[in-house]
Amino acid sequence: MERVTIDVVSDVVCPWCYLGKARLELAIAEVQDELGVDVNWRPYQLDPDATSEGSDYRTHLVAKFGSAERLDQMQDNLRGQGQEIGITYRFEDIKVRANTLDAHRLLHWSRIEGQDIQDRVATALFKAHFEKGLNVADHQVLLAIAEQCGLDPALIGNLLATDADKDTVLSEIDAAQKMGVNGVPFLIFDGQYAVSGAQTPDVLANALRDIARMKAEARKGMI
């Protein structure tokens, strides 16, 4: 059975990234008997200028999208698409425009413990922001997520209190931007093939099958 690695460049305050994660999970479930998939979560910041304390979420987004009407239309669209796959967006509960650097540091540390742990942390961060309206820049929120996902909260707390791995996360974001990533989610398959946006499960499943087939054919050609 061939294995395909997907590096998912995303931000935990990106609603399309949350939708994309759920759709990717459906795609992986569809092909699980045909090929293996390894997923790594890579950092990106849509709003790197947000302060760690945060500012008003809706005010910022209205300014970003140009009008309250346009923002509401986009969020209603996301609510509808989310409901189809089990996501309940509660945009009205999100009060804080959060800086996500520390959330990405938590994802970085969780990857050291294994892809399953990192995936669990990614889900918990998305859910905390979009379904519970929590501030994902708040260290207490991050510590609760760490403990919930099987990480040592004391260790994570000590790391969060320092600048540990901030440069590492920022350099990964810089590398993604230099590759041409200017929007997320952005999926990189086996370091070679890219898919941008929250694609539907059938598109992702077919991409996985195509790449696995190409790998199998290339392997045969080497024999």
Side-chain angles (χ1 to χ4, degrees):
M1 181 183 287
E2 297 293 337
R3 296 201 70 82
V4 177
T5 297
I6 306 176
D7 289 292
V8 183
V9 184
S10 76
D11 196 2
V12 299
V13 294
C14 165
W16 293 105
C17 294
Y18 192 13
L19 187 70
K21 184 181 193 304
R23 287 175 170 175
L24 178 60
E25 289 169 353
L26 291 173
I28 292 172
E30 184 178 329
V31 301
Q32 63 183 349
D33 295 330
E34 305 167 48
L35 59 117
V37 182
D38 300 304
V39 178
N40 298 310
W41 290 90
R42 303 293 184 182
Y44 196 86
Q45 283 193 286
L46 288 173
D47 190 13
D49 295 328
T51 64
S52 57
E53 294 80 19
S55 55
D56 186 73
Y57 180 75
R58 182 170 173 83
T59 300
H60 169 68
L61 289 183
V62 168
K64 180 178 179 178
F65 290 100
S67 71
E69 291 77 16
R70 188 176 176 197
L71 174 63
D72 290 341
Q73 183 180 35
M74 184 199 75
Q75 291 183 340
D76 286 344
N77 178 33
L78 278 160
R79 282 191 187 93
Q81 294 193 55
Q83 285 174 355
E84 293 175 3
I85 51 177
I87 293 174
T88 303
Y89 287 106
R90 299 188 186 279
F91 296 111
E92 65 280 4
D93 292 341
I94 304 171
K95 305 303 180 187
V96 174
R97 173 192 171 200
N99 186 290
T100 56
L101 181 57
D102 286 343
H104 286 303
R105 287 204 291 160
L106 177 59
L107 279 166
H108 172 76
W109 299 324
S110 66
R111 188 166 74 224
I112 296 168
E113 299 300 318
Q115 290 174 332
D116 288 347
I117 298 292
Q118 190 191 38
D119 193 74
R120 206 178 303 162
V121 169
T123 297
L125 286 165
F126 282 124
K127 190 176 287 290
H129 180 69
F130 287 110
E131 300 195 32
K132 299 179 182 178
L134 298 176
N135 179 1
V136 290
D138 186 319
H139 286 187
Q140 293 307 309
V141 170
L142 297 177
L143 288 174
I145 288 172
E147 185 170 20
Q148 167 193 330
C149 296
L151 297 169
D152 181 347
L155 173 61
I156 298 300
N158 289 336
L159 289 169
L160 284 171
T162 72
D163 288 334
D165 294 311
K166 282 186 179 179
D167 287 345
T168 300
V169 170
L170 291 172
S171 67
E172 276 200 53
I173 294 170
D174 184 59
Q177 290 171 334
K178 287 177 178 175
M179 280 175 48
V181 178
N182 55 21
V184 286
F186 191 90
L187 283 63
I188 304 167
F189 295 76
D190 275 353
Q192 302 180 66
Y193 312 100
V195 174
S196 180
Q199 300 295 332
T200 56
D202 59 320
V203 168
L204 295 171
N206 287 334
L208 285 164
R209 291 187 180 104
D210 288 344
I211 292 166
R213 185 180 66 251
M214 286 188 287
K215 290 181 76 169
E217 290 171 354
R219 197 183 307 281
K220 287 178 183 176
M222 296 170 62
I223 298 174

